[in-house]
Amino acid sequence: MCWDMAHLFNHLKTVVSMLRVFLILLWTTNLVQPKAAPNAGVQVFPPVNFTLTVSALAQVVLHWKPNPHQEQKNYTIRYDVKILSPVPEEYDTRKTHSIRTAPLHNGFSACVRTLLLHEDLQGRSDWVKETLLPLPGAPETSVTDLSCVTHITISSTVSLHCTWLPGQGAPEDTEYFLFYRYETYTERCQDYIKDKWNRNTECRFSVTHIDPEGLDNLIVIHINGSSKYAAIKPFQQLFNQNAIEKVNVPRNVTVFLEENDLLATWEKPISPFPKECFEYELYLLNLKSGNKQILKISSNDFRLRVDVTSQYSLQIRANHHTCSARGFWSDWSEIIYVGQNKLENPVAWILAVLCVSTCCTFLLVAIICKINHVWSKLFPPIPTPSNKFRDPFPNDYERALTCTRETEVGSSAEDQSCSVLDDSVF
C-alpha cells in the first residue's frame, strides 16, 4: 500500500514537472512571437549596414539597407526607427534612410529594426544600434546661457542677435566663433561684441537668409572656439524661428474720447502674418486717480467706459500666438494722452475760488492799512475822563502824577513844593 502511494506521488510529481516545462515553452513561444513572421516559417531579419553620417550643422543622416535574406513575397516591409539621444523619438518609415536635426555636441544614438506586415499580423526583428561620439573638447569650455532674438525689419528681412557667456573652464585667450544654419544655408558671424577679456560674447547679423514667412522652422546655432591652452568644446542649440522673434510695435495708434467712452484703434505690426494672428496688451493709466490697467485684446480696436473728468495715458504692445509659436512681446508704443483732469462739481470749485479770493483781498487791505496808520485815523482812541474827586490819601504814584501835571502848567514856586513833598515821601 505504501509502495502504491509512493509510486502515485512520483507519478504526480512527474506530471507537474512536465506541465511546468510545457508552460515555460509556451511562455517562450509568446515572448519570441514578435520576431516571427505573420505566417509560420518566415523569419524577420534586422536591417544591415546601419550608419549615422553628419551632413550639416546639427544634422545627421540615418541610413540602412534591407537584409538580403529577408523574404518579401506578399509582405509589406517597414522600418521602426528609435532615436535614443539627445532627444528620444520613435517613428516608422518605408524608406531606408532618415534625416534628423538635433544638437550633436553631446553625441547621437539611434537604432532601427524591420517590421514585416501582412493584413492584421505583424512581425519584428531585433534592433540594430549605432552611435555618434560627442564632439571633442575640454570640459566646461563650451559657451553657456546662449539666447537669440530675431527681428523683421522694415525691408522685410530678418536680423539675428545672439548672446552667450564663456564656459567656466575656458581660458582667458579663448575666441568663440558663431555659425547659424537655416535650412541648407550656413553663415559665419562677422560682427562680434567682446567682454573685458576680449572674448566674443555677442554676435549680430543685420541681414540673414531666414525666411520671414517661415512657420516654426528651426534655426541651428553652432559655436566653437580656439585657445592656446585648451581644446574648446563646440556647442549647438536649436531655436524655433517664431519663438525667438521680437515682434514689432503696433502702428498708427489712434486714441480719442466719444461721450463717456475711450476708443483706440491701431494697425498690426510689420509682419507677413495676417492681423488675425496677433494679440495685444493695452496699458491704461488714469492720471487723476493713479489707477492702472493692463488689458488683453485680440482685435485691432478697443472701447472702454471711462471717467471723462480724468486724463488718461495709453500704450500698446503686440505678439503673435495663433498662427505660429508665441514670440517675444514687442516694445511698448509711445505714450498717448487723452482727456483732461476736471473737478466733478464746477459750482463748488467756483465758490471755493471766490472764498479764497475774498479772504486774500481782506488780508491785503488790512496789511496796507496797518502800514499807513489808516486804521488809527479812521478810528481814533476814546479819551479817558478826568477824576474830579481827589483821594484824601493819595498814594505815592498819584502824588507824583499830580506834581508832574502841575509842573507842566504851574510856576516855579509850585515846583519847589513838589520837591519838598517828594523829599518827605522818600
Short mmCIF file of all heavy atoms in Angstrom, two decimals, residues 75-102:
data_model
loop_
_atom_site.label_atom_id
_atom_site.label_comp_id
_atom_site.label_asym_id
_atom_site.label_seq_id
_atom_site.Cartn_x
_atom_site.Cartn_y
_atom_site.Cartn_z
N TYR A 75 4.45 40.41 -48.57
CA TYR A 75 4.59 41.11 -47.29
C TYR A 75 4.89 42.59 -47.54
O TYR A 75 5.47 42.95 -48.57
CB TYR A 75 5.70 40.48 -46.44
CG TYR A 75 5.49 39.02 -46.13
CD1 TYR A 75 6.36 38.05 -46.65
CD2 TYR A 75 4.44 38.62 -45.32
CE1 TYR A 75 6.17 36.71 -46.37
CE2 TYR A 75 4.24 37.27 -45.05
CZ TYR A 75 5.11 36.33 -45.57
OH TYR A 75 4.89 35.00 -45.29
N THR A 76 4.53 43.39 -46.55
CA THR A 76 4.89 44.81 -46.55
C THR A 76 6.01 45.02 -45.54
O THR A 76 5.87 44.63 -44.37
CB THR A 76 3.69 45.70 -46.17
OG1 THR A 76 2.63 45.51 -47.12
CG2 THR A 76 4.09 47.17 -46.12
N ILE A 77 7.09 45.63 -46.00
CA ILE A 77 8.24 45.84 -45.12
C ILE A 77 8.34 47.33 -44.76
O ILE A 77 8.36 48.20 -45.63
CB ILE A 77 9.55 45.38 -45.78
CG1 ILE A 77 9.50 43.87 -46.02
CG2 ILE A 77 10.75 45.76 -44.93
CD1 ILE A 77 10.75 43.33 -46.67
N ARG A 78 8.35 47.60 -43.49
CA ARG A 78 8.59 48.95 -42.96
C ARG A 78 9.71 48.86 -41.93
O ARG A 78 10.13 47.76 -41.55
CB ARG A 78 7.32 49.55 -42.33
CG ARG A 78 6.16 49.69 -43.30
CD ARG A 78 4.96 50.34 -42.62
NE ARG A 78 5.24 51.72 -42.22
CZ ARG A 78 5.04 52.77 -43.00
NH1 ARG A 78 4.57 52.60 -44.23
NH2 ARG A 78 5.31 53.98 -42.56
N TYR A 79 10.15 50.03 -41.49
CA TYR A 79 11.25 50.08 -40.53
C TYR A 79 10.86 50.95 -39.34
O TYR A 79 10.34 52.06 -39.51
CB TYR A 79 12.53 50.60 -41.19
CG TYR A 79 12.98 49.72 -42.33
CD1 TYR A 79 12.63 50.03 -43.65
CD2 TYR A 79 13.73 48.58 -42.10
CE1 TYR A 79 13.03 49.22 -44.70
CE2 TYR A 79 14.13 47.77 -43.14
CZ TYR A 79 13.78 48.09 -44.44
OH TYR A 79 14.17 47.28 -45.48
N ASP A 80 11.11 50.44 -38.18
CA ASP A 80 10.84 51.15 -36.94
C ASP A 80 12.14 51.81 -36.49
O ASP A 80 13.14 51.13 -36.26
CB ASP A 80 10.33 50.16 -35.88
CG ASP A 80 9.78 50.86 -34.65
OD1 ASP A 80 9.66 52.10 -34.68
OD2 ASP A 80 9.49 50.18 -33.66
N VAL A 81 12.12 53.16 -36.39
CA VAL A 81 13.32 53.93 -36.03
C VAL A 81 13.11 54.53 -34.64
O VAL A 81 12.06 55.11 -34.35
CB VAL A 81 13.60 55.05 -37.05
CG1 VAL A 81 14.87 55.80 -36.67
CG2 VAL A 81 13.70 54.48 -38.45
N LYS A 82 14.12 54.41 -33.81
CA LYS A 82 14.05 54.96 -32.45
C LYS A 82 15.31 55.80 -32.20
O LYS A 82 16.42 55.28 -32.26
CB LYS A 82 13.95 53.85 -31.41
CG LYS A 82 13.82 54.36 -29.97
CD LYS A 82 13.82 53.22 -28.97
CE LYS A 82 12.57 52.37 -29.11
NZ LYS A 82 12.52 51.33 -28.03
N ILE A 83 15.09 57.10 -31.94
CA ILE A 83 16.19 57.99 -31.55
C ILE A 83 16.33 57.88 -30.04
O ILE A 83 15.39 58.16 -29.28
CB ILE A 83 15.91 59.44 -31.97
CG1 ILE A 83 15.55 59.52 -33.46
CG2 ILE A 83 17.10 60.33 -31.65
CD1 ILE A 83 16.61 59.04 -34.39
N LEU A 84 17.50 57.52 -29.58
CA LEU A 84 17.74 57.34 -28.14
C LEU A 84 18.24 58.62 -27.47
O LEU A 84 17.86 58.91 -26.33
CB LEU A 84 18.74 56.20 -27.93
CG LEU A 84 18.35 54.85 -28.56
CD1 LEU A 84 19.46 53.84 -28.34
CD2 LEU A 84 17.04 54.36 -27.96
N SER A 85 19.09 59.36 -28.16
CA SER A 85 19.62 60.61 -27.61
C SER A 85 20.06 61.50 -28.79
O SER A 85 20.35 60.99 -29.87
CB SER A 85 20.81 60.33 -26.68
OG SER A 85 21.89 59.80 -27.41
N PRO A 86 20.04 62.84 -28.62
CA PRO A 86 19.82 63.56 -27.36
C PRO A 86 18.36 63.72 -26.97
O PRO A 86 18.06 63.97 -25.80
CB PRO A 86 20.46 64.92 -27.65
CG PRO A 86 20.28 65.09 -29.13
CD PRO A 86 20.43 63.73 -29.72
N VAL A 87 17.44 63.61 -27.93
CA VAL A 87 16.01 63.75 -27.63
C VAL A 87 15.31 62.47 -28.07
O VAL A 87 15.30 62.15 -29.27
CB VAL A 87 15.41 64.97 -28.36
CG1 VAL A 87 13.93 65.09 -28.02
CG2 VAL A 87 16.15 66.26 -27.97
N PRO A 88 14.72 61.71 -27.16
CA PRO A 88 14.05 60.45 -27.53
C PRO A 88 12.91 60.69 -28.51
O PRO A 88 12.14 61.64 -28.38
CB PRO A 88 13.53 59.92 -26.19
CG PRO A 88 14.39 60.58 -25.15
CD PRO A 88 14.72 61.93 -25.70
N GLU A 89 12.83 59.80 -29.50
CA GLU A 89 11.80 59.90 -30.53
C GLU A 89 11.67 58.54 -31.20
O GLU A 89 12.65 57.82 -31.36
CB GLU A 89 12.18 60.97 -31.56
CG GLU A 89 11.16 61.16 -32.67
CD GLU A 89 11.64 62.13 -33.73
OE1 GLU A 89 12.81 62.57 -33.64
OE2 GLU A 89 10.88 62.44 -34.66
N GLU A 90 10.44 58.19 -31.59
CA GLU A 90 10.23 56.92 -32.29
C GLU A 90 9.21 57.12 -33.41
O GLU A 90 8.19 57.79 -33.23
CB GLU A 90 9.74 55.84 -31.32
CG GLU A 90 9.65 54.45 -31.96
CD GLU A 90 9.41 53.33 -30.95
OE1 GLU A 90 9.32 53.63 -29.74
OE2 GLU A 90 9.33 52.16 -31.39
N TYR A 91 9.52 56.53 -34.56
CA TYR A 91 8.64 56.65 -35.73
C TYR A 91 8.95 55.48 -36.66
O TYR A 91 9.95 54.78 -36.50
CB TYR A 91 8.85 57.98 -36.44
CG TYR A 91 10.27 58.24 -36.88
CD1 TYR A 91 10.69 57.95 -38.17
CD2 TYR A 91 11.20 58.78 -35.99
CE1 TYR A 91 12.00 58.18 -38.57
CE2 TYR A 91 12.50 59.02 -36.38
CZ TYR A 91 12.90 58.72 -37.67
OH TYR A 91 14.19 58.94 -38.06
N ASP A 92 8.07 55.27 -37.64
CA ASP A 92 8.32 54.22 -38.63
C ASP A 92 8.27 54.82 -40.03
O ASP A 92 7.65 55.85 -40.26
CB ASP A 92 7.32 53.07 -38.48
CG ASP A 92 5.90 53.49 -38.80
OD1 ASP A 92 5.51 53.40 -39.97
OD2 ASP A 92 5.19 53.96 -37.87
N THR A 93 8.96 54.15 -40.97
CA THR A 93 9.06 54.66 -42.33
C THR A 93 9.24 53.50 -43.30
O THR A 93 9.70 52.42 -42.92
CB THR A 93 10.24 55.63 -42.46
OG1 THR A 93 10.35 56.05 -43.82
CG2 THR A 93 11.55 54.97 -42.03
N ARG A 94 8.88 53.74 -44.56
CA ARG A 94 9.12 52.75 -45.61
C ARG A 94 10.49 52.93 -46.24
O ARG A 94 11.00 52.02 -46.89
CB ARG A 94 8.05 52.87 -46.69
CG ARG A 94 6.69 52.34 -46.29
CD ARG A 94 5.81 52.21 -47.53
NE ARG A 94 4.52 51.61 -47.21
CZ ARG A 94 3.63 51.23 -48.12
NH1 ARG A 94 3.90 51.40 -49.41
NH2 ARG A 94 2.48 50.70 -47.76
N LYS A 95 11.09 54.12 -46.05
CA LYS A 95 12.38 54.40 -46.67
C LYS A 95 13.49 53.70 -45.91
O LYS A 95 13.30 53.21 -44.80
CB LYS A 95 12.62 55.92 -46.69
CG LYS A 95 11.57 56.70 -47.47
CD LYS A 95 11.85 58.19 -47.40
CE LYS A 95 10.81 58.99 -48.17
NZ LYS A 95 11.06 60.46 -48.07
N THR A 96 14.64 53.68 -46.53
CA THR A 96 15.82 53.09 -45.89
C THR A 96 16.80 54.17 -45.42
O THR A 96 17.98 53.92 -45.22
CB THR A 96 16.53 52.13 -46.85
OG1 THR A 96 16.89 52.86 -48.04
CG2 THR A 96 15.64 50.96 -47.21
N HIS A 97 16.27 55.39 -45.27
CA HIS A 97 17.09 56.47 -44.73
C HIS A 97 16.17 57.47 -44.02
O HIS A 97 14.96 57.52 -44.27
CB HIS A 97 17.90 57.16 -45.84
CG HIS A 97 17.04 57.92 -46.80
ND1 HIS A 97 16.45 57.31 -47.89
CD2 HIS A 97 16.68 59.23 -46.84
CE1 HIS A 97 15.75 58.20 -48.56
NE2 HIS A 97 15.88 59.37 -47.96
N SER A 98 16.78 58.28 -43.20
CA SER A 98 16.03 59.29 -42.46
C SER A 98 16.98 60.41 -42.08
O SER A 98 18.16 60.16 -41.78
CB SER A 98 15.38 58.68 -41.21
OG SER A 98 14.70 59.66 -40.46
N ILE A 99 16.49 61.65 -42.09
CA ILE A 99 17.31 62.82 -41.73
C ILE A 99 16.73 63.43 -40.46
O ILE A 99 15.52 63.67 -40.36
CB ILE A 99 17.33 63.86 -42.87
CG1 ILE A 99 17.94 63.24 -44.14
CG2 ILE A 99 18.10 65.10 -42.46
CD1 ILE A 99 17.91 64.17 -45.34
N ARG A 100 17.60 63.69 -39.51
CA ARG A 100 17.17 64.26 -38.25
C ARG A 100 18.06 65.46 -37.91
O ARG A 100 19.27 65.44 -38.12
CB ARG A 100 17.25 63.23 -37.12
CG ARG A 100 16.01 62.33 -37.06
CD ARG A 100 14.82 63.22 -36.77
NE ARG A 100 13.53 62.58 -36.74
CZ ARG A 100 12.69 62.47 -37.75
NH1 ARG A 100 13.04 62.84 -38.96
NH2 ARG A 100 11.48 61.99 -37.58
N THR A 101 17.41 66.52 -37.35
CA THR A 101 18.12 67.70 -36.88
C THR A 101 18.13 67.69 -35.36
O THR A 101 17.07 67.64 -34.72
CB THR A 101 17.46 68.99 -37.39
OG1 THR A 101 17.45 68.98 -38.83
CG2 THR A 101 18.19 70.22 -36.90
N ALA A 102 19.31 67.73 -34.79
CA ALA A 102 19.45 67.65 -33.33
C ALA A 102 20.82 68.19 -32.94
O ALA A 102 21.77 68.11 -33.73
CB ALA A 102 19.30 66.21 -32.84
#
